[in-house]
């Protein structure tokens, strides 16, 4: 969100240069930032958030607020937007590819309808140390947070106000990897908490299906809702979406590139259980 004023400031014309310190030394970055906000205030422009101007300026010039679009249906409340620009998303994707270590062995199997299956993607969880999460018959203990995940988590918090203590990461090597219809309604989740789903890499179809419209025993005709989750995007799934709607990432044979999805969750701590 680099505005014209900010560009002019960088060339040193919009705001008067902050005075030199008593030592006569050149102004520090913090002093230049104060000068910028002082000039903005004089021109009656708002600054945000109050009290953290230097930090806010640095974040603001890197991270324009996403333009949210609301997705709604009966009992479905989601917001979708681009959380990262293309260049930053490219860098994060590469960093995730280098630094995320996926589960191996037993943890790559799921228990579905009494049988064990290899999951058709790679998976891993990271989070606060005391947490556990049971998903399709397997209990996961999170690996400790790493900086790239904290960076994404902080960005979500900055733009949504929500903090998360756990993330499930799925890596789809190409369009043959997928995730079947399910709801994220595990008992360990903090009741009514949202789930923040961030995607990098290949754009994939993501489909919501209402619980009353599934299969042969459907009792209502509610159209599925199809989204395309783009590189650098955030989908906020808010209560009560996961009560009424199943979601899936179906196979797409024409997709040849990999995709990484991170679903940030609020898991109950022992004290809350
Ligand atoms: O990859 C996606 O977009 C969805 C992943 C998902 O639904 C999950 O991890 O529960
Ligand atoms: Mn899910």
């Amino acid at each position: 969100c680099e505005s014209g004023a900010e560009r002019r400031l960088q060339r040193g014309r919009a705001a008067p240069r902050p005075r030199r310190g008593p030592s006569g030394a050149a102004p520090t970055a913090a002093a230049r930032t104060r000068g910028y906000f002082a000039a903005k205030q004089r021109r009656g422009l708002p600054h945000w958030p109050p009290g953290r101007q230097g930090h806010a300026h640095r974040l603001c010039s890197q991270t324009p607020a996403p333009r949210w679009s609301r997705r709604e249906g009966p009992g479905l409340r989601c917001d979708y937007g681009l959380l990262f620009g293309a260049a930053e998303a490219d860098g994060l994707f590469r960093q995730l590819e280098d630094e995320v270590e996926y589960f191996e062995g037993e943890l790559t199997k799921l228990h579905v309808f009494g049988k064990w299956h290899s999951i058709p993607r790679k998976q891993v969880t990271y989070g606060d140390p005391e947490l556990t999460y049971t998903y399709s018959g397997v209990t996961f203990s999170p690996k400790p947070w790493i900086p790239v995940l904290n960076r994404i988590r902080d960005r979500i918090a900055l733009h949504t106000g929500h903090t998360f203590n756990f993330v499930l990461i799925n890596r789809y090597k190409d369009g043959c990897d997928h995730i079947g219809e399910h709801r994220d309604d595990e008992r360990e989740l903090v009741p009514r908490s949202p789930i923040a789903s961030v995607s990098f890499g290949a754009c994939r179809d993501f489909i919501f299906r209402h619980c009353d419209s599934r299969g042969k025993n459907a009792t209502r005709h509610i159209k599925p809702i199809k989204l395309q989750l783009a590189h650098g995007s955030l989908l906020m799934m808010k209560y009560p979406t996961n009560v009424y709607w199943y979601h899936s990432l179906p196979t797409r044979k024409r997709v040849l590139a990999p995709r990484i999805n991170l679903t940030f969750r609020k898991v109950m701590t022992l004290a809350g259980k």
Side-chain angles (χ1 to χ4, degrees):
C1 61
E2 193 191 1
S3 66
E6 281 166 320
R7 276 196 299 276
R8 282 196 299 283
L9 173 70
Q10 281 162 13
R11 292 200 298 267
R13 275 189 269 131
R17 282 190 178 279
R19 265 176 275 135
R20 290 191 170 239
S23 64
T28 60
R32 280 197 299 276
T33 305
R34 280 196 299 277
Y36 164 67
F37 278 103
K40 217 172 164 186
Q41 264 174 322
R42 275 195 298 278
R43 283 179 286 131
L45 298 172
H47 58 259
W48 177 93
R52 300 188 65 199
Q53 289 95 331
H55 188 54
H57 172 250
R58 189 157 39 78
L59 287 172
C60 179
S61 57
Q62 285 172 4
T63 62
R67 268 191 221 133
W68 298 110
S69 65
R70 184 149 291 175
R71 306 297 155 110
E72 281 174 325
L76 184 136
R77 281 180 63 220
C78 291
D79 291 319
Y80 176 81
L82 287 179
L83 191 61
F84 300 100
E88 195 176 6
D90 289 350
L92 287 166
F93 180 79
R94 277 196 297 273
Q95 215 179 332
L96 291 166
E97 286 287 65
D98 288 345
E99 294 171 18
V100 170
E101 293 177 359
Y102 291 90
F103 287 142
E104 291 172 356
E106 283 303 294
L107 292 171
T108 62
K109 306 249 188 312
L110 286 183
H111 201 227
V112 184
F113 299 124
K115 278 192 179 169
W116 287 96
H117 300 265
S118 288
I119 56 169
R121 60 191 178 277
K122 282 189 186 174
Q123 207 166 50
V124 67
T125 58
Y126 285 78
D128 292 358
E130 73 281 12
L131 304 174
T132 58
Y133 192 64
T134 304
Y135 181 78
S136 297
V138 180
T139 298
F140 297 101
S141 288
K143 300 190 179 201
W145 292 105
I146 54 175
V148 63
L149 298 178
N150 280 328
R151 183 169 152 201
I152 299 168
R153 190 162 67 128
D154 287 349
R155 190 68 62 87
I156 299 169
L158 176 72
H159 289 301
T160 69
H162 286 284
T163 53
F164 297 90
N165 56 10
F166 186 92
V167 63
L168 170 63
I169 307 178
N170 286 296
R171 182 183 189 276
Y172 307 84
K173 68 178 180 324
D174 57 28
C176 294
D177 279 359
H178 61 280
I179 190 164
E181 262 188 5
H182 67 280
R183 288 182 289 191
D184 294 328
D185 59 354
E186 285 75 22
R187 276 182 307 145
E188 291 101 324
L189 292 175
V190 172
R192 297 176 177 232
S193 58
I195 292 182
S197 168
V198 181
S199 298
F200 296 100
C203 181
R204 292 282 296 261
D205 292 341
F206 181 84
I207 298 180
F208 281 111
R209 196 184 301 278
H210 193 277
C211 59
D212 293 343
S213 301
R214 297 174 73 231
K216 283 187 288 202
N217 302 328
T219 54
R220 291 162 84 185
H221 265 299
I222 301 175
K223 270 198 184 160
I225 296 178
K226 182 163 136 183
L227 307 179
Q228 290 183 327
L229 302 184
H231 185 43
S233 68
L234 168 62
L235 174 68
M236 282 299 281
M237 291 190 267
K238 298 190 290 193
Y239 181 83
T241 307
N242 273 300
V243 177
Y244 298 108
W245 293 78
Y246 285 71
H247 56 262
S248 65
L249 192 94
T251 54
R252 290 289 181 259
K253 295 274 158 58
R254 68 190 143 71
V255 175
L256 304 176
R259 168 177 183 270
I260 299 173
N261 174 262
L262 307 95
T263 44
F264 289 85
R265 299 155 192 250
K266 298 190 199 206
V267 172
M268 277 192 288
T269 53
L270 277 178
K273 280 186 186 168

